[in-house]
Structure formats: C-alpha cells, structure tokens
C-alpha cells in the first residue's frame, strides 16, 4: 500500500505570459492539492512466471489553472480558469515468463480521468460539467515483448478516447488507436555488441489528430544500428 498527498504551485511559463499573439502577462500562479492511493501486488503464479498488478486512485484540485483557450479572434490565449477538479484511476497489470533462452512479457494499462471546471456560470444546476479540453477520459495501452536468444520483438498498442477541443464540449476529436512494432537482433562478440533493429510506427496507418486541424503522420519506418563497446581499464 502506498499513499501520498502534496501541495503544488506552478508559476506561468514565459510562453504563457509573452507568446505573441495570445500571451497573458497578468496570469496568476496555479496552486492546489493532489493525492493518490495505490494498492500493488506481485506474486509468482507458476514456475518461471510472475504476475504483478497495481491500482491507483488519484485526485487533485487546482485553483487558477492556466489553460490556452480559443479567443474572440483567430488565435488562442492563455487564461486562468478558476477551480478545477481532476479525479480518476490507473490500473496496470503484467505477466512475464522466462525459461532458458526464452523471455516474454505482456503488460496492460488503463487510465480513467474526469477533469472539470467547478465554477461554470453558463451551466444550469442539472447540467453536467464539461470535460476539460484535450483531456481524454479513457486511455488504454498494451505491450507484448518476446526474446529468443539474440532475437527480440516488441509490439505496443495505445488507445486514446475522444477529446474535446472547445470549452463547452460541442466539438471533439475522435478517438484513435496506434500500434508500433520493433524487430531486432543483437550480435555479441567478446564483451561488445551490435544491435540491428527495424521499427514501424503507426503500423495500421491510422488517421488521427492530437491537436485540432493538425493531422499526424501515417505509417513510418526506421532502421537502426547501435554499437556498444565495453572498455575495461
């Protein structure tokens, strides 16, 4: 079991105050409290196999949070948005197996985040408070790793749910899923090693945007060579 609580403060960055256009030199410092509570478990299930799992509940309340928002003109500006409450949970679990020259692992993680501005004058008493801009409620990631002697492979997948890019949540970016894969081979000689690898990002060529109106790259390839030299004195 783990728990912590802290008081935080952040001064505005130079870009927040002086970026042209949109900077605001009258910004106040962010301040607030945050805390989390974690339950973790690690155990050996069967021979050569280990299980680990972890659940964390978190929350924080910020005053005068600094956020860039669409202004009355064609550019965004930095503003203090009053009191913001963020709460949610994080879950991580993984299994790893090792036997002889084989090593493998599977990991999964999930995050739920609810982030709202507490003081909204434009909402009725029964109206649900909108989610903060660009904060997804759901995120899921998985990773599979496999090693056989000098060969290794890694497959990771990340899902991000839709994100709103307007203050009133009237417009949103659709959720997206990205998969990356790495294949490699490590050549060892004496105490040195040569690593050859091929990486494919956005394996399924997903079409997505992290920021509104800015499409992200499609499938891409990278090849790498890394030489590690161990020098004994």
């Amino acid at each position: 079991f783990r728990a912590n609580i802290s008081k935080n403060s952040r001064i505005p960055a130079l870009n927040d105050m002086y970026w042209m256009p949109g900077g605001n030199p009258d910004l106040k410092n962010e301040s607030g409290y945050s805390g989390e509570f974690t339950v973790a478990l690690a155990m050996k299930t069967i021979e050569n196999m280990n299980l680990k799992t972890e659940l964390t509940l978190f929350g924080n309340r910020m005053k005068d949070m600094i956020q860039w928002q669409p202004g009355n003109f064609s550019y965004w500006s930095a503003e203090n948005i009053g009191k913001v409450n963020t709460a949610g949970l994080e879950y991580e679990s993984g299994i790893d197996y090792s036997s002889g020259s084989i090593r493998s692992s599977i990991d999964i993680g999930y995050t739920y985040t609810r982030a709202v501005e507490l003081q909204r004058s434009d909402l009725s008493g029964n109206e649900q408070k909108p989610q903060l801009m660009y904060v997804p409620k759901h995120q899921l990631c998985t990773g599979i790793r496999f090693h056989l002697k000098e060969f290794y492979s890694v497959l990771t997948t990340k899902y991000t749910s839709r994100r709103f890019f307007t203050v009133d949540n009237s417009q949103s970016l659709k959720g997206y899923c990205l998969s990356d894969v790495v294949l490699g081979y490590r050549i060892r000689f004496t105490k040195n090693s040569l690593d050859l690898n091929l990486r494919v990002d956005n394996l399924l060529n997903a079409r997505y945007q992290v920021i509104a109106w800015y499409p992200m790259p499609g499938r891409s390839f990278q090849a790498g060579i890394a030489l590690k030299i161990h020098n004994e004195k």
Side-chain angles (χ1 to χ4, degrees):
F1 299 93
R2 301 193 304 269
N4 70 70
I5 186 170
S6 62
K7 179 173 173 57
N8 311 294
S9 180
R10 184 177 79 89
I11 64 175
L14 292 178
N15 282 345
D16 295 329
M17 294 189 292
Y18 302 116
W19 183 267
M20 294 297 291
N24 183 356
D26 298 322
L27 288 173
K28 302 176 183 178
N29 291 5
E30 288 183 357
S31 61
Y33 293 89
S34 64
E36 64 180 33
F37 176 74
T38 301
V39 179
L41 172 68
M43 60 181 296
K44 188 173 184 178
T45 54
I46 60 176
E47 187 177 1
N48 301 324
M49 184 175 291
N50 299 302
L51 169 68
K52 58 181 180 180
T53 185
E54 189 171 293
L55 176 65
T56 300
L57 304 178
F58 64 87
N60 64 67
R61 180 164 293 192
M62 300 296 295
K63 179 182 178 182
D64 295 324
M65 180 176 175
I66 300 171
Q67 187 179 66
W68 285 76
Q69 298 183 354
N72 296 325
F73 304 98
S74 59
Y75 58 84
W76 291 37
S77 59
E79 302 288 344
N80 292 111
I81 60 172
K83 294 182 179 180
V84 173
N85 186 70
T86 303
L89 63 86
E90 295 179 350
Y91 175 76
E92 297 180 2
S93 185
I95 297 176
D96 62 78
Y97 174 81
S98 178
S99 178
S101 58
I102 297 177
R103 290 181 291 122
S104 61
S105 65
I106 300 176
D107 298 286
I108 185 170
Y110 169 75
T111 301
Y112 171 80
T113 306
R114 178 71 172 136
V116 298
E117 183 180 355
L118 298 179
Q119 299 171 325
R120 287 292 302 271
S121 58
D122 57 337
L123 298 178
S124 63
N126 297 326
E127 194 173 357
Q128 186 181 25
K129 292 180 174 63
Q131 182 86 345
L132 288 186
M133 294 189 302
Y134 289 108
V135 179
K137 283 188 178 181
H138 308 281
Q139 292 178 290
L140 178 69
C141 62
T142 61
I144 301 175
R145 296 170 176 80
F146 179 78
H147 293 253
L148 176 60
K149 294 183 178 180
E150 306 305 328
F151 170 81
Y152 64 91
S153 62
V154 181
L155 173 64
T156 58
T157 300
K158 299 178 181 179
Y159 169 76
T160 301
S161 66
R162 69 170 180 165
R163 289 143 299 123
F164 300 99
F165 62 91
T166 53
V167 176
D168 60 0
N169 288 185
S170 59
Q171 299 184 69
S172 64
L173 299 172
K174 66 179 182 178
Y176 59 90
C177 184
L178 298 178
S179 295
D180 304 325
V181 64
V182 178
L183 301 175
Y185 188 82
R186 186 172 292 110
I187 303 173
R188 300 182 186 275
F189 46 94
T190 61
K191 294 183 178 181
N192 306 321
S193 65
L194 181 67
D195 193 309
L196 310 175
N197 62 76
L198 174 66
R199 180 186 182 93
V200 184
D201 292 325
N202 194 359
L203 180 64
L204 302 180
N205 202 29
R207 299 286 187 254
Y208 70 104
Q209 297 178 24
V210 175
I211 302 296
W213 321 121
Y214 289 89
M216 298 300 291
R219 185 186 299 114
S220 61
F221 301 85
Q222 299 180 45
I225 301 176
L227 175 63
K228 295 183 179 181
I229 300 176
H230 181 74
N231 184 20
E232 288 186 349
K233 292 185 179 181

